[in-house]
Amino acid sequence: MSLTPLQIQELLDENRAHECEGFGKDHVCVRIASIAELPSRFGQFQVVAFYNNRDDKEHAAFVHGDVAGAENVPVRMHSECLTGDAIGSLRCDCRDQLEAALRTIGQMENGILLYLRQEGRGIGLVNKIRAYGLQDYGYDTVEANLALGFRDDERDYSVAAHMLESLKVKSVRLLTNNPKKIDALLEFGVKLGERIPLVIPPNPYNEFYLKTKAAKSGHMMTFGSEVRLEEQMDLPVVEGMSLEQIGALHQGEG
Ligand SMILES: [Zn+2]
Ligand SMILES: [Zn+2]
């Protein structure tokens, strides 16, 4: 079951007049602007597009099954990565994470993927490519961001928290390997149940990458000695990794 045409109409009507004090320091308020069916290769979804009062970005939720009024809804927060998500860049693992999340949610009773338009950890596409350019000359991902005058991570999850409220989700189970995302949502009053680890099926590339990463305790090393971008902030867990390897990832995190 997903939203019926009548429920869609009600949500849109309600949201047209919605105003609130807003979430977070920037008082972010979002409104559901449009909803449609979205059959996908990962299962049956409905897409919900949002307006917000802060940036010109059009954030979206991809909803599987019935989530309005539901408890413990599996939720994945994904930050947009044009180069990875759409083009399949290997400078990061965003697309692997996106596909793994959609595949997991599509097979569950219900779930939501929040697609947040905070490209390049919130610094935008132009600046992300500038950072890539610096990395081509030997800077690492953190140094590159700092050199451009940004903090290591400019993302803000107040939009995500409000989107979940707009969708009338009562409580969520976050699909993540990163406890920091959980803290970020708790801050905005989202009720959270047990975390669901995001497990990525291995491929010839990331198998080596992840083994190296586990061995180096959190250093984002890839095929050569190039530093890999950590845009989704999650430490990927690949099918077949041992508990020790997963543990090593989390130790290297702090
Ligand atoms: Zn609001
Ligand atoms: Zn990426």
Side-chain angles (χ1 to χ4, degrees), residues 18-23 28-31 162 165-166:
H18 169 82
E19 261 179 71
C20 71
E21 292 194 349
F23 285 39
V28 171
C29 180
V30 306
R31 289 181 186 178
H162 195 316
E165 185 173 281
S166 302

Side-chain angles (χ1 to χ4, degrees), residues 51-195:
Y51 283 131
N52 76 77
N53 64 345
R54 296 305 302 180
D55 51 38
D56 289 327
K57 293 172 187 155
E58 297 172 308
H59 304 283
F62 296 87
V63 179
H64 174 72
D66 204 358
V67 301
E71 304 264 10
N72 290 317
V73 177
V75 170
R76 171 70 181 172
M77 297 192 291
H78 184 88
S79 297
E80 177 174 32
C81 173
L82 178 71
T83 48
D85 296 345
I87 308 301
S89 159
L90 296 173
R91 291 191 81 131
C92 60
D93 44 22
C94 299
R95 178 145 152 188
D96 287 334
Q97 296 200 31
L98 177 63
E99 290 194 4
L102 287 168
R103 199 174 296 115
T104 306
I105 290 168
Q107 288 164 2
M108 291 178 134
E109 190 191 332
N110 61 6
I112 302 170
L113 182 120
L114 296 178
Y115 195 84
L116 306 167
R117 312 293 296 276
Q118 32 192 8
E119 178 78 45
R121 292 189 288 189
I123 66 176
L125 181 66
V126 168
N127 285 315
K128 180 174 97 169
I129 304 307
R130 281 194 183 123
Y132 277 179
L134 288 174
Q135 287 172 62
D136 291 342
Y137 289 95
Y139 284 68
D140 77 22
T141 165
V142 176
E143 288 166 354
N145 273 16
L146 296 178
L148 289 168
F150 297 104
R151 288 174 291 161
D152 176 32
D153 197 324
E154 291 277 338
R155 283 173 298 196
D156 176 2
Y157 291 101
S158 50
V159 173
H162 195 316
M163 285 164 84
L164 292 169
E165 185 173 281
S166 302
L167 293 166
K168 305 187 178 193
V169 172
K170 283 219 171 117
S171 61
V172 315
R173 286 186 296 156
L174 218 52
L175 258 151
T176 183
N177 303 324
N178 193 328
K180 284 176 198 160
K181 273 190 177 172
I182 292 178
D183 295 342
L185 279 188
L186 280 174
E187 223 184 285
F188 297 115
V190 177
K191 291 198 178 66
L192 290 164
E194 206 182 322
R195 177 175 69 93

